[in-house]
Amino acid sequence: MRYLEHLSVAVRMDGWRCVKLYRDERFPVSAPLLWVYASGVAEDVGVVVEVRAVPGNGWAYYERSRYLFRCGDVNAAAERVGRLLRHRMFPATW
């Protein structure tokens, strides 16, 4: 959850909104998740991020089975999440 907390701060500074889905009885998920989404017109566009172990005793951010970035560089991970959100909001412009 610590890595997701750091990511939530970084993406909020970029103007995105977050919902933390951390082991809440209302949301039966096996791992902590962070839902990052656009505010305003495109609130239905989002990215659900989780943290997984990677080889070499490290951790990385993932969206579904898609690798996003290693947890050591939260700003780069936030930029990658932002690009993915912008692409989903405006697919014809990419």
Side-chain angles (χ1 to χ4, degrees):
M1 288 190 301
R2 175 174 40 113
Y3 291 120
L4 293 176
E5 285 293 324
H6 294 305
L7 183 61
S8 73
V9 171
V11 296
R12 281 185 283 155
M13 289 177 63
D14 288 340
W16 305 109
R17 298 178 72 187
C18 298
V19 174
K20 300 170 187 175
L21 304 172
Y22 302 164
R23 305 222 183 200
D24 189 332
E25 293 176 8
R26 296 173 294 167
F27 306 105
V29 295
S30 59
L33 303 171
L34 180 67
W35 178 36
V36 183
Y37 63 100
S39 60
V41 179
E43 287 185 1
D44 58 336
V45 175
V47 174
V48 177
V49 180
E50 66 179 313
V51 173
R52 295 184 190 174
V54 293
N57 295 325
W59 297 92
Y61 296 107
Y62 278 82
E63 191 253 345
R64 296 187 192 130
S65 61
R66 177 185 300 174
Y67 171 85
L68 295 174
F69 220 86
R70 290 189 78 73
C71 290
D73 190 348
V74 71
N75 292 325
E79 175 59 31
R80 177 93 28 108
V81 168
R83 279 188 274 146
L84 187 55
L85 283 167
R86 285 188 293 277
H87 173 70
R88 289 183 180 173
M89 289 171 31
F90 310 107
T93 62
W94 293 74

